[in-house]
Amino acid sequence: MADYRKRREGLLRFLDERGLDGVLLISYENRRWFAGFTGSLGYLLVTRGGAFMVVDMRYTTQARQQAEGVEIIEYRADRLGAVAKMILGCGVKRLALEACMTLDEYFVLKDRLGGVELSCEQEYFTELRMVKDAEEIQAIRSAIECAETAFGQTVRMMRIGMTEKDIADEFSYRACKAGADKLAFDTIVGSGPRGALAHAFPTGRVIENGDMVVCDLGVFMDGYCSDMTRTVLFGDVSPEHMRIFRLVQESQDAAFAAVRPGVRAIDVENAHRVPFLRENLDNYALRGLGHGIGVEIHECPRVQIGNERTVLSPGMVFTLEPGLYFPGDCGVRTEDDVLVTENGAENLSHTPHEIHVG
Ligand SMILES: [Mn+2]
């Protein structure tokens, strides 16, 4: 079992660095990662004096069982009143809130907290989650394996003439059968010209001979996400489209070769652009190569333009997803999940990059 107390010690360092007395965590992911609590609602307050969580009657027993070392406070009616009472009762004068709080909750809480100084934070919490332990890496491996099993089965029933939605529905069913708790995100299927929409939602468009079909999918299993994209080649793909396809594979290889401890995330980002720049096609790529995966589908490290700060270290897991998008014509993306190891990188995704159907 994860050491949640040790994880919360990271939050105490955060309080010291920022001169705060407490932090209020409200997202499912942070409640689960910092306290082990899997209920759908809860307000976790971490202070130097201890950890406290307000929950409603549905979750009192579950929270006491799961959130070891956290004092559970049950509320009956006035949810934010109970949260305010907990915060004030701990003598908190300066409090960090999680950025995902709704404006509605923010204004009510601000009103109830009177003179407490409030600030907003998000990135720091996900940076604490950036380096995964062995148990977390195993959970991610399992989520990847589940998605790859389901995708492999889906590929075997792919045919010219089926729709984008047919593919997405089939994957969804297979993934749940293969052990997924749910999908990590709505499956993306973009065929032919719709592949240029980087995040295309699956429609009734019928897949034709010669289409390249971007399939981006992942599952959520035992608290962790997987994320993979394959561009499936249907029938007789034109030489020009195959050239684009192969260029993206070259970019993927260049990015993977650059991953090792001590290099900056931005160096990996830069490496993936070299083939695109050489062919004068970089304007058709997005501004980011990848993102961390873990309890959230998008977390740190951000492998994107603008992040000059993050240096890779062993235990980080993130996606490499180079792509080229030509509006009205086609799109190609290939996405693998990689683990930074002691002396390099391991590709956790094992599905072949090039898949032909029909
Ligand atoms: Mn992704």
Side-chain angles (χ1 to χ4, degrees), residues 216 227 291 298 319 321 335:
D216 188 344
D227 195 2
H291 54 87
H298 296 126
T319 70
E321 45 184 310
E335 176 180 31

Side-chain angles (χ1 to χ4, degrees), residues 9-77:
E9 280 168 18
L11 293 174
L12 299 183
R13 286 197 301 278
F14 166 69
L15 298 184
D16 288 342
E17 283 171 25
R18 306 289 169 92
L20 299 165
D21 309 311
V23 51
L24 186 69
L25 298 173
I26 58 169
S27 66
Y28 171 86
E29 292 82 7
N30 281 332
R31 276 188 270 113
R32 182 169 184 157
W33 200 80
F34 288 103
F37 177 58
T38 60
S40 64
L41 194 73
Y43 295 79
L44 174 68
L45 174 69
V46 178
T47 68
R48 290 182 192 82
F52 309 82
M53 185 162 59
V54 165
V55 299
D56 64 73
M57 284 174 73
R58 290 174 300 169
Y59 289 125
T60 312
T61 306
Q62 181 184 332
R64 290 201 169 119
Q65 285 167 353
Q66 291 182 324
E68 212 192 309
V70 177
E71 191 174 314
I72 304 304
I73 302 160
E74 180 187 281
Y75 78 89
R76 296 285 168 122

